[in-house]
Amino acid sequence: DSLQELKNYQNSFESFKDHLERLVVMPLATLQVLFSAPQKLIQKRYDKLLDYVSCLKQSESVRDKRAAEELNEAKKDYEALNGQLVEELQAFNKAAKKILTNCIYCFMAVFRDLMTSALKASPSVKNILVPSSGSVQVRQKQAIEEIHSLSFGKEFGSHRTIERRASLEERLKKRSPAPTPEAPHQTEENRAKLLVTHSPDKLFQAKRKFNAAQDLDASLHEGEIVAVIEKQDPLGSVNRWLVDTGMTQGYVYSSFLRPYNPAIGQNGVSTDGPVTDGDFDDISLFVSSHCGDGNNR
């Protein structure tokens, strides 16, 4: 009877584990992967916003019919993409909430089924009075001590050894992953190579640190020199430029760059006085659902 009861417990647990994996863990893992899906659309909207800002600046300086048409087209592209993102994000959030809610319901149902199976496997459990948590802890320790007294239980060491091992494993699980290594700094050889290889009009300098956010991006430190190879990315955005850092090639947002000035050292500090940037991104552009016109900027 004891052997059959143990077998029933094992079958109940295996069924519980299978259902938990299929109905709870897998949907949650899928949802976690799906959370990265809107990021591409958000990035594309950001690119379109930068295109609009670029066209706006160009139209203010040129003021011709072609520039006005390009500005209007860029504005329409951004507003269309922004509207699509707002609409789809609402649908995505509703679907994500539904998946999460269903997983909670499934967990409760699977756990209930496990308890029901346990009661059927051992009807005598129904007559057991539920003790307090303190007494349960004492009984747990006593049961573990009994297992340690058995021949196969001695290979695990003492009860305190197991507790220390479990505590260490828990700390290792909670330990944060190693920080992402910092991008290498540009050397004098890299700078000299760029200065010799490229014409002065192609040379730009990093106004501030830029961390690569996408696979094809190149990280830069403040004051480093780059040579601009192409002033647009494969998707046609004129605000992500392909640059040569002397070590590698990659894309950098043009708002992080200024034309190269020999008077500015590699640390970004001017030898003739402080450098001021008058063209930092306007944060109000990112909190408005629509692009404002030139008079509202």
Side-chain angles (χ1 to χ4, degrees):
D1 291 343
S2 298
L3 185 60
Q4 182 62 39
E5 195 171 293
L6 180 62
K7 187 176 181 180
N8 291 338
Y9 286 148
Q10 184 176 1
N11 291 337
S12 297
F13 178 74
E14 290 296 330
S15 176
F16 168 76
K17 188 172 73 170
D18 175 67
H19 284 81
L20 190 67
E21 178 74 21
R22 183 163 47 88
L23 300 176
V24 179
V25 177
M26 289 302 296
L28 287 179
T30 302
L31 179 60
Q32 184 180 17
V33 174
L34 290 176
F35 270 117
S36 63
Q39 295 301 322
K40 293 183 179 180
L41 193 57
I42 292 173
Q43 180 63 50
K44 189 175 180 181
R45 181 187 67 167
Y46 177 74
D47 292 341
K48 292 297 181 182
L49 178 59
L50 293 179
D51 289 344
Y52 169 76
V53 174
S54 177
C55 290
L56 184 61
K57 291 181 179 179
Q58 185 177 357
S59 66
E60 290 174 348
S61 59
V62 178
R63 296 187 180 278
D64 61 5
K65 184 178 180 181
R66 182 179 178 183
E69 291 176 352
E70 290 180 353
L71 174 63
N72 187 49
E73 190 68 25
K75 181 179 180 181
K76 288 181 178 179
D77 289 345
Y78 169 75
E79 289 181 342
L81 195 59
N82 185 67
Q84 177 188 355
L85 182 62
V86 171
E87 181 180 352
E88 291 187 357
L89 274 181
Q90 291 179 353
F92 179 85
N93 290 339
K94 288 180 181 179
K97 182 180 179 181
K98 185 182 295 184
I99 292 174
L100 181 60
T101 303
N102 289 339
C103 286
I104 294 174
Y105 289 155
C106 287
F107 175 78
M108 295 169 62
V110 170
F111 191 76
R112 179 199 60 200
D113 293 344
L114 175 65
M115 294 296 98
T116 302
S117 298
L119 290 174
K120 288 182 179 179
S122 182
S124 59
V125 174
K126 296 180 180 179
N127 301 322
I128 297 179
L129 296 177
V130 179
S132 64
S133 59
S135 60
V136 168
Q137 189 176 13
V138 173
R139 292 184 184 183
Q140 291 281 46
K141 288 185 177 180
Q142 290 175 349
I144 292 175
E145 295 289 346
E146 291 178 5
I147 293 177
H148 279 296
S149 65
L150 302 174
S151 59
F152 57 79
K154 294 178 181 179
E155 65 180 89
F156 296 104
S158 66
H159 175 55
R160 288 191 174 184
T161 302
I162 291 183
E163 284 186 339
R164 286 198 297 269
R165 184 189 303 175
S167 177
L168 176 61
E169 290 178 353
E170 189 66 25
R171 288 199 303 271
L172 290 175
K173 288 180 181 179
K174 293 181 178 180
R175 182 178 296 175
S176 58
T180 304
E182 188 178 30
H185 287 262
Q186 192 176 59
T187 64
E188 289 299 330
E189 290 78 7
N190 300 140
R191 293 167 66 88
K193 175 185 175 183
L194 293 172
L195 293 173
V196 172
T197 307
H198 300 276
S199 59
D201 62 306
K202 297 288 187 182
L203 298 177
F204 285 76
Q205 198 163 20
K207 296 189 294 186
R208 52 197 183 277
K209 185 176 180 181
F210 174 77
N211 292 317
Q214 302 182 50
D215 292 338
L216 300 179
D217 287 352
S219 295
L220 293 177
H221 294 278
E222 183 177 356
E224 291 185 342
I225 298 175
V226 298
V228 175
I229 301 173
E230 189 174 5
K231 291 188 175 182
Q232 68 175 14
D233 67 6
L235 296 178
S237 172
V238 296
N239 294 284
R240 290 180 73 232
W241 292 357
L242 178 62
V243 301
D244 180 6
T245 68
M247 298 174 287
T248 185
Q249 292 185 0
Y251 289 94
V252 176
Y253 282 104
S254 59
S255 59
F256 285 79
L257 302 175
R258 65 161 70 89
Y260 172 58
N261 183 357
I264 300 176
Q266 189 166 353
N267 60 358
V269 178
S270 172
T271 57
D272 299 329
V275 176
T276 59
D277 292 326
D279 56 348
F280 279 93
D281 295 338
D282 184 356
I283 192 64
S284 65
L285 293 172
F286 298 93
V287 297
S288 174
S289 59
H290 298 285
C291 295
D293 56 24
N295 297 328
N296 294 330
R297 291 197 69 203

